Amino acid sequence: MKNFTDGYGYSLAKIPFGKYWAYDHSGGVDEFRSSIFYFLDLKIAASCTVNQSDMNVNDILISLLETAAGQDFEMHGFKTFNIPENELQKLTGKYASTGIPVKFDIFIRDKKLMAQASGQGEFPLEPVSGTEFKFAPAGIAVEFFPERKQLAIMQSRRKDLFTKE
């Protein structure tokens, strides 16, 4: 099983992690993910099963690998913020940008702030603070500037500013 061609073996992948290499087998369906890693040099195995999607699973796996490799790691926060619906209402509307041909509709459904880019599916925005929100499965962060009627959307290394129409 450890015979690799182009970095892949039979149901295994060889994953670099710092100065170590781990053999990995991962899988997933819907919002369920599982991974198991074995560090041959360290003689340590680590596994993770996730049955939700409100966090970036890769962040969880990196913390797991840091722990298995004996490195310091930062525990991801699970703190939740409850923002009154009347405060969320101030953030709703259609937002557009001069340089980007997509608009964002920000609205409330079941007392939760939602976002939908034109032509795309809607997604929930989880509050991080009174003006900052995230959609972790896609690595999206949104910051509202209500006094300027603007929002900034950050994804990967890109940050785009949108203004309420």
Side-chain angles (χ1 to χ4, degrees), residues 16-41:
F17 187 74
K19 64 180 183 179
Y20 303 107
W21 285 87
Y23 294 104
D24 168 53
H25 178 77
S26 298
V29 62
D30 298 328
E31 297 303 330
F32 301 92
R33 305 277 184 271
S34 64
S35 291
I36 186 164
F37 302 92
Y38 182 69
F39 292 89
L40 188 62
D41 293 343

Side-chain angles (χ1 to χ4, degrees), residues 42-69:
L42 298 173
K43 298 191 181 347
I44 292 174
S47 67
C48 180
T49 302
V50 180
N51 66 353
Q52 51 74 38
S53 66
D54 61 349
M55 272 190 87
N56 183 331
V57 175
N58 192 56
D59 289 344
I60 296 170
L61 294 175
I62 288 171
S63 291
L64 174 71
L65 292 174
E66 288 169 339
T67 302

